[in-house]
Amino acid sequence: MYQSDTKSHAGWSQNVLKYIAMGTMLLNHIAAIFLPAGTVLYELFTAVGYFTAISMVYFLVEGYGYTRSKRNYFFRLLLFAGISQLPYDLAFSETDTLKFCGLNMLFTLCICFGILWVLEHGNNRWIKGVAILSLILLSSISDWAWLAPIFTLLFRWAGKNRTKEAIAFAVAALLFGGMNVLGGLGRFSLEENLLYALLSMAGIGTSALGILLCYNGARGTRCRTFSKWFFYLFYSVHLLILGILRISLQ
């Protein structure tokens, strides 16, 4: 059961933050597909879009703890991950030829869900460790490889403790920024590399501010059923539209 039945509705609900995340994801995907790398608009849209993945992982961890049926939750994620794979490949293939571009973010969330399940049900510490490491390695072929599973572990560790959540967000931002610094070595000057890393951390920082300072713990009181399915459908539909536009503009 979600906290929305017991908490005040002052502030932003989970649905409000998810709608924001859908908007920032759209901007990120528009930049990745249509805008020239290195332009101001490309960098801005890309950085803003980093708000989405960590927010999705946060709400996955929270939802795992409150959902009445973990089985239904997982298979719903898996179903829409499968539905979204072709649109994902269509959107991000760089030529007219459709090619596999890695597993989409919903598959990544399935992997993260698996990590939460292992943490909850695993009894043997070594088997649990191997299973979690295997799932992290599996994420290597998916969107937000390695990072999303690590974010999952951070938020699982934090529980609902605000101080620990702030630490989790800070570690996630530093980890993401550090990976961008490493990725830019030899390609950019030190100043450009550090500036890009800081910009890349802004999306995660904004997510942290939105969740830690504005989130009221409520799922949302209006149009719950619509919102529940909209978030799944938006992912596949917007990718399909962007993919068709990409092909038509070539």
Side-chain angles (χ1 to χ4, degrees):
M1 186 175 182
Y2 280 89
Q3 293 172 303
S4 54
D5 296 329
T6 59
K7 287 201 171 187
S8 165
H9 293 292
W12 292 351
S13 70
Q14 179 187 122
N15 284 345
V16 169
L17 287 162
K18 283 186 174 180
Y19 279 117
I20 294 172
M22 296 303 99
T24 57
M25 177 175 63
L26 177 60
L27 293 178
N28 181 279
H29 290 170
I30 288 172
I33 298 167
F34 299 112
L35 299 181
T39 61
V40 172
L41 203 57
Y42 172 89
E43 299 298 341
L44 178 62
F45 281 12
T46 300
V48 165
Y50 294 144
F51 176 97
T52 305
I54 194 163
S55 300
M56 292 170 73
V57 172
Y58 177 92
F59 288 122
L60 174 78
V61 175
E62 182 181 71
Y64 183 91
Y66 291 118
T67 186
R68 293 188 180 96
S69 174
K70 292 178 173 61
R71 179 179 179 274
N72 289 346
Y73 192 176
F74 174 76
F75 282 107
R76 188 164 58 244
L77 271 174
L78 188 61
L79 171 64
F80 281 94
I83 291 171
S84 301
Q85 188 59 43
L86 183 60
Y88 181 82
D89 292 335
L90 184 67
F92 291 104
S93 295
E94 296 180 354
T95 65
D96 290 336
T97 304
L98 185 66
K99 67 176 184 178
F100 177 66
C101 297
L103 296 175
N104 66 70
M105 185 64 188
L106 294 185
F107 276 118
T108 311
L109 292 179
C110 288
I111 293 171
C112 295
F113 189 101
I115 290 172
L116 294 171
W117 190 90
V118 169
L119 287 170
E120 181 182 15
H121 296 283
N123 295 317
N124 183 287
R125 184 175 68 174
W126 295 106
I127 294 176
K128 185 188 297 187
V130 170
I132 291 172
L133 180 59
S134 298
L135 288 167
I136 292 173
L137 291 174
L138 178 60
S139 77
S140 298
I141 60 170
S142 68
D143 198 12
W144 282 81
W146 299 79
L147 288 169
I150 292 172
F151 296 166
T152 301
L153 293 171
L154 286 170
F155 291 132
R156 174 63 161 68
W157 164 79
K160 296 304 294 181
N161 181 290
R162 274 297 191 237
T163 300
K164 286 186 175 181
E165 285 184 338
I167 293 171
F169 272 109
V171 171
L174 289 171
L175 180 62
F176 186 52
M179 288 187 70
N180 278 291
V181 168
L182 292 176
L185 290 177
R187 298 168 55 203
F188 309 108
S189 68
L190 178 61
E191 294 79 6
E192 290 175 328
N193 207 5
L194 291 176
L195 179 62
Y196 178 75
L198 288 173
L199 185 63
S200 72
M201 294 163 62
I204 293 178
T206 305
S207 174
L209 292 175
I211 290 172
L212 296 176
L213 301 181
C214 302
Y215 179 39
N216 61 13
R219 185 178 183 181
T221 57
R222 297 181 181 179
C223 305
R224 287 189 182 184
T225 301
F226 170 81
S227 295
K228 174 182 176 180
W229 294 107
F230 173 82
F231 297 131
Y232 290 106
L233 289 169
F234 179 85
Y235 186 74
S236 57
V237 171
H238 96 279
L239 287 172
L240 179 61
I241 293 171
L242 292 178
I244 292 172
L245 285 173
R246 181 188 68 80
I247 295 289
S248 65
L249 292 174
Q250 283 187 341

